[in-house]
Amino acid sequence: MHAPKRITFPRQNGSLQLDKIQTLSRRSTRPKSAGSSLRGFPVGVHTCGYAPAAIRKLLADPLTTPDWVGLDIKALPQDIEAVIQRPAKVGGRCWESLNLLADAPVDMQVRTTVWRGSAVERNRDRLAKRVREYGYELVIQQARAGDGSSIVQAG
């Protein structure tokens, strides 16, 4: 990856430097929203992977291929319906996205969120093993209550 471009914004107490762009919405998987060459910055995309067709489009063109992807794997395929409360085929798309991204020239973090009593918590080790089969370590995030306090132990 090339050295990041930096923009400095003057502020009252010093300056603010921008050295990367990360997108955090559904629009982040639209081709015009990603790609480091569009702005001269490395681009990171956060996605749950439910739109593998959009990811495939991003990866098809070097101008729209992100430099980094944060992929949230919600659960194992057999648990996905209970976890996301959507049809299993919707959740299964995240695994298709993982397969696409694992074969792409993109840095990636694969993660999930656990909470007490969830299928994700019960099957965390199996989920981590499955992600390792793609060549990644699963990053475990703890679910938090509205006040920011932990609602589950992730260890």
Side-chain angles (χ1 to χ4, degrees):
M1 183 172 12
H2 55 56
K5 175 180 175 182
R6 293 189 191 275
I7 295 179
T8 301
F9 297 95
R11 293 187 339 181
Q12 200 168 17
N13 297 327
S15 63
L16 171 69
Q17 286 193 338
L18 177 65
D19 61 6
K20 65 183 168 185
I21 298 171
Q22 291 194 40
T23 57
L24 300 166
S25 71
R26 268 189 74 172
R27 294 178 186 200
S28 67
T29 54
R30 293 184 183 162
K32 292 181 182 178
S33 300
S36 58
S37 64
L38 293 178
R39 302 278 187 258
F41 290 99
V43 175
V45 173
H46 293 266
T47 181
C48 60
Y50 292 162
I55 290 172
R56 190 176 289 108
K57 281 183 185 178
L58 285 178
L59 298 175
D61 183 346
L63 294 177
T64 60
T65 298
D67 300 289
W68 178 88
V69 174
L71 179 64
D72 287 302
I73 293 291
K74 302 298 183 187
L76 288 165
Q78 65 269 22
D79 298 329
I80 200 79
E81 199 165 340
V83 171
I84 67 169
Q85 298 181 3
R86 302 279 299 155
K89 68 178 184 174
V90 174
R93 293 176 191 156
C94 67
W95 290 95
E96 182 180 345
S97 293
L98 175 57
N99 191 51
L100 290 168
L101 290 162
D103 289 338
V106 174
D107 289 332
M108 182 168 51
Q109 178 188 70
V110 182
R111 58 190 177 230
T112 196
T113 303
V114 298
W115 62 96
R116 186 178 306 120
S118 70
V120 181
E121 181 186 43
R122 285 189 305 277
N123 295 314
R124 178 177 44 216
D125 292 341
R126 289 178 45 220
L127 181 59
K129 181 180 178 190
R130 177 108 186 244
V131 169
R132 272 193 302 278
E133 291 170 1
Y134 287 87
Y136 296 90
E137 288 299 317
L138 183 65
V139 175
I140 304 293
Q141 303 173 130
Q142 291 184 14
R144 301 212 172 265
D147 66 359
S149 62
S150 178
I151 59 173
V152 68
Q153 298 300 317

